[in-house]
Coordinates of all heavy atoms in Angstrom, one line a residue:
S1494 N 77.0 110.9 98.9 CA 76.4 112.0 98.2 C 77.3 113.2 98.3 O 78.0 113.4 99.2 CB 75.1 112.4 98.8 OG 74.2 111.3 98.7
C1495 N 77.2 114.1 97.2 CA 78.0 115.3 97.2 C 77.1 116.4 96.6 O 76.5 116.3 95.5 CB 79.2 115.1 96.3 SG 80.1 116.7 95.9
A1496 N 76.9 117.4 97.4 CA 76.2 118.6 97.0 C 77.2 119.7 96.6 O 78.1 120.1 97.3 CB 75.3 119.1 98.1
A1497 N 77.0 120.1 95.3 CA 78.0 121.1 94.8 C 77.2 122.4 94.5 O 76.2 122.4 93.8 CB 78.5 120.6 93.5
S1498 N 77.7 123.5 95.0 CA 77.2 124.8 94.8 C 78.1 125.6 93.8 O 79.2 125.2 93.6 CB 77.0 125.6 96.1 OG 78.3 125.8 96.7
G1499 N 77.6 126.7 93.4 CA 78.3 127.4 92.4 C 78.3 126.8 91.1 O 77.5 125.9 90.8
S1500 N 79.3 127.1 90.3 CA 79.3 126.6 88.9 C 80.2 125.4 88.7 O 80.4 124.9 87.6 CB 79.8 127.7 88.0 OG 81.2 128.0 88.3
I1501 N 80.7 124.8 89.8 CA 81.7 123.7 89.7 C 81.2 122.5 89.0 O 81.9 121.8 88.3 CB 82.3 123.4 91.1 CG1 83.6 122.5 90.9 CG2 81.3 122.7 92.0 CD1 84.4 122.4 92.1
A1502 N 79.9 122.2 89.2 CA 79.3 121.0 88.6 C 78.7 121.2 87.3 O 78.7 120.2 86.5 CB 78.3 120.3 89.6
S1503 N 78.3 122.4 87.0 CA 77.5 122.6 85.8 C 78.4 122.4 84.5 O 79.4 123.0 84.3 CB 77.1 124.1 85.8 OG 76.4 124.4 84.6
R1504 N 77.9 121.4 83.8 CA 78.5 121.0 82.5 C 80.0 120.5 82.6 O 80.7 120.4 81.6 CB 78.5 122.2 81.5 CG 77.1 122.7 81.1 CD 77.2 123.7 80.0 NE 77.9 124.9 80.4 CZ 77.4 125.9 81.1 NH1 76.2 125.8 81.5 NH2 78.1 126.9 81.5
N1505 N 80.4 120.3 83.8 CA 81.8 119.8 84.1 C 81.8 118.3 84.4 O 80.8 117.8 85.0 CB 82.4 120.5 85.2 CG 82.9 121.9 84.8 OD1 83.4 122.1 83.8 ND2 82.7 122.8 85.8
T1506 N 82.8 117.6 84.0 CA 83.0 116.3 84.5 C 83.3 116.3 86.0 O 84.1 117.1 86.5 CB 84.2 115.6 83.8 OG1 83.9 115.5 82.4 CG2 84.5 114.2 84.3
M1507 N 82.6 115.5 86.7 CA 82.8 115.4 88.2 C 83.4 114.1 88.6 O 83.2 113.1 87.9 CB 81.4 115.6 88.9 CG 80.9 117.0 88.7 SD 81.9 118.3 89.5 CE 81.7 117.9 91.2
G1508 N 84.1 114.1 89.7 CA 84.7 112.8 90.1 C 84.7 112.6 91.6 O 84.4 113.6 92.4
W1509 N 84.8 111.4 92.0 CA 85.0 111.0 93.4 C 86.5 110.7 93.6 O 87.1 109.9 92.8 CB 84.1 109.9 93.8 CG 82.7 110.3 94.1 CD1 81.7 110.3 93.3 CD2 82.3 110.8 95.4 NE1 80.6 110.7 93.9 CE2 80.9 111.1 95.2 CE3 82.9 111.1 96.6 CZ2 80.1 111.6 96.2 CZ3 82.1 111.6 97.6 CH2 80.7 111.9 97.4
Y1510 N 87.1 111.3 94.6 CA 88.5 111.0 94.9 C 88.5 110.4 96.3 O 87.6 110.5 97.1 CB 89.3 112.3 95.0 CG 89.3 113.1 93.7 CD1 88.2 113.8 93.2 CD2 90.5 113.1 92.9 CE1 88.2 114.5 92.0 CE2 90.5 113.8 91.7 CZ 89.4 114.5 91.3 OH 89.4 115.2 90.1
R1511 N 89.7 109.7 96.6 CA 89.8 109.3 98.0 C 91.3 109.4 98.4 O 92.2 109.4 97.6 CB 89.4 107.8 98.1 CG 90.2 106.8 97.4 CD 89.6 105.4 97.5 NE 90.4 104.4 96.9 CZ 90.0 103.1 96.7 NH1 88.8 102.7 97.1 NH2 90.8 102.2 96.1
Q1512 N 91.5 109.5 99.7 CA 92.8 109.6 100.2 C 92.9 108.7 101.5 O 92.2 109.0 102.5 CB 93.2 111.1 100.6 CG 94.7 111.2 101.0 CD 95.1 112.7 101.0 OE1 94.3 113.6 101.1 NE2 96.4 112.9 100.9
A1513 N 93.7 107.7 101.4 CA 94.0 106.9 102.5 C 95.2 107.4 103.3 O 96.0 108.1 102.8 CB 94.3 105.4 102.1
P1514 N 95.3 107.1 104.6 CA 96.4 107.6 105.4 C 97.8 107.2 104.8 O 98.0 106.1 104.4 CB 96.2 106.8 106.7 CG 94.8 106.5 106.8 CD 94.4 106.3 105.4
G1515 N 98.6 108.3 104.6 CA 99.9 108.1 104.1 C 100.0 107.9 102.6 O 101.1 107.6 102.1
K1516 N 98.9 108.1 101.9 CA 98.9 107.9 100.5 C 98.3 109.2 99.8 O 97.6 109.9 100.4 CB 98.0 106.7 100.1 CG 98.5 105.4 100.6 CD 97.6 104.2 100.0 CE 98.2 102.9 100.4 NZ 97.4 101.8 99.9
P1517 N 98.7 109.4 98.6 CA 98.2 110.6 97.9 C 96.7 110.4 97.5 O 96.2 109.3 97.4 CB 99.1 110.6 96.6 CG 99.5 109.2 96.4 CD 99.7 108.6 97.7
R1518 N 96.1 111.5 97.3 CA 94.7 111.5 96.9 C 94.6 110.9 95.5 O 95.4 111.3 94.6 CB 94.1 112.9 96.9 CG 92.6 113.0 96.8 CD 92.2 114.4 97.0 NE 92.4 114.8 98.4 CZ 92.3 116.1 98.8 NH1 92.0 117.1 98.0 NH2 92.5 116.4 100.1
E1519 N 93.6 110.1 95.2 CA 93.5 109.4 93.9 C 92.1 109.6 93.4 O 91.1 109.5 94.2 CB 93.9 108.0 93.9 CG 93.0 107.1 94.9 CD 93.3 105.6 94.7 OE1 93.9 105.2 93.7 OE2 92.9 104.9 95.7
L1520 N 91.9 109.7 92.1 CA 90.6 109.7 91.5 C 90.1 108.3 91.3 O 90.8 107.5 90.7 CB 90.7 110.4 90.1 CG 89.4 110.5 89.3 CD1 88.4 111.3 89.9 CD2 89.8 111.0 87.9
V1521 N 88.9 108.0 91.8 CA 88.4 106.6 91.7 C 87.3 106.5 90.7 O 87.1 105.4 90.2 CB 88.0 106.0 93.0 CG1 89.2 105.9 93.9 CG2 86.9 106.8 93.7
A1522 N 86.6 107.5 90.4 CA 85.5 107.5 89.5 C 85.2 108.9 89.0 O 85.3 109.8 89.7 CB 84.2 106.9 90.2
S1523 N 84.7 108.9 87.7 CA 84.4 110.2 87.1 C 83.1 110.0 86.2 O 82.9 108.9 85.7 CB 85.5 110.8 86.4 OG 85.9 110.0 85.3
I1524 N 82.4 111.1 86.0 CA 81.2 111.1 85.2 C 81.1 112.4 84.5 O 81.3 113.5 85.1 CB 80.0 110.8 86.0 CG1 78.8 110.7 85.2 CG2 79.8 111.9 87.1 CD1 77.5 110.1 85.9
T1525 N 80.9 112.4 83.2 CA 80.7 113.6 82.4 C 79.3 114.2 82.6 O 78.5 113.5 83.1 CB 81.0 113.3 80.9 OG1 79.9 112.5 80.4 CG2 82.3 112.6 80.7
S1526 N 79.1 115.4 82.1 CA 77.8 115.9 82.2 C 76.8 115.1 81.5 O 75.6 115.1 81.8 CB 77.8 117.4 81.7 OG 78.2 117.4 80.4
G1527 N 77.2 114.4 80.5 CA 76.3 113.5 79.7 C 76.1 112.1 80.2 O 75.3 111.3 79.7
G1528 N 76.8 111.8 81.3 CA 76.6 110.5 82.0 C 77.7 109.5 81.6 O 77.5 108.3 82.1
N1529 N 78.7 109.8 80.9 CA 79.7 108.8 80.6 C 80.6 108.6 81.8 O 81.0 109.6 82.4 CB 80.5 109.2 79.4 CG 79.7 109.1 78.1 OD1 79.0 108.2 77.9 ND2 79.9 110.2 77.3
T1530 N 80.9 107.4 82.2 CA 81.6 107.1 83.4 C 83.0 106.5 83.2 O 83.2 105.9 82.1 CB 80.8 106.2 84.4 OG1 80.5 105.0 83.7 CG2 79.5 106.9 84.8
N1531 N 83.9 106.6 84.1 CA 85.2 106.0 84.1 C 85.6 105.6 85.5 O 85.3 106.4 86.4 CB 86.2 106.9 83.5 CG 87.4 106.2 83.0 OD1 87.4 105.0 82.6 ND2 88.6 106.9 83.1
Y1532 N 86.3 104.5 85.7 CA 86.6 104.0 87.0 C 88.0 103.6 87.1 O 88.6 103.1 86.1 CB 85.7 102.8 87.4 CG 84.3 103.2 87.4 CD1 83.4 103.0 86.3 CD2 83.7 103.7 88.6 CE1 82.1 103.3 86.4 CE2 82.3 104.0 88.7 CZ 81.5 103.8 87.5 OH 80.2 104.1 87.6
A1533 N 88.6 103.7 88.2 CA 89.9 103.1 88.5 C 89.8 101.6 88.5 O 88.8 101.1 88.9 CB 90.5 103.6 89.8
D1534 N 90.8 100.9 88.1 CA 90.8 99.5 88.0 C 90.5 98.9 89.4 O 89.8 97.8 89.5 CB 92.1 98.9 87.5 CG 92.3 99.2 86.0 OD1 91.3 99.5 85.3 OD2 93.4 99.1 85.6

């Protein structure tokens, strides 16, 4: 779960990122304000 305060979530596409040791942070999933989703392979 992610609780977002302020205006960061409002009407914005939000995403989940992850960072494994020694690797860059990557976007694994995103969702628009309307509910459209996208995922890393």
Side-chain angles (χ1 to χ4, degrees):
S1494 298
C1495 170
S1498 66
S1500 63
I1501 192 168
S1503 176
R1504 297 188 299 277
N1505 286 319
T1506 296
M1507 293 295 293
W1509 280 96
Y1510 300 76
R1511 69 185 181 188
Q1512 187 167 22
K1516 294 187 177 181
R1518 192 173 292 170
E1519 62 172 340
L1520 176 66
V1521 295
S1523 63
I1524 184 168
T1525 67
S1526 59
N1529 293 318
T1530 58
N1531 197 31
Y1532 299 93
D1534 288 343

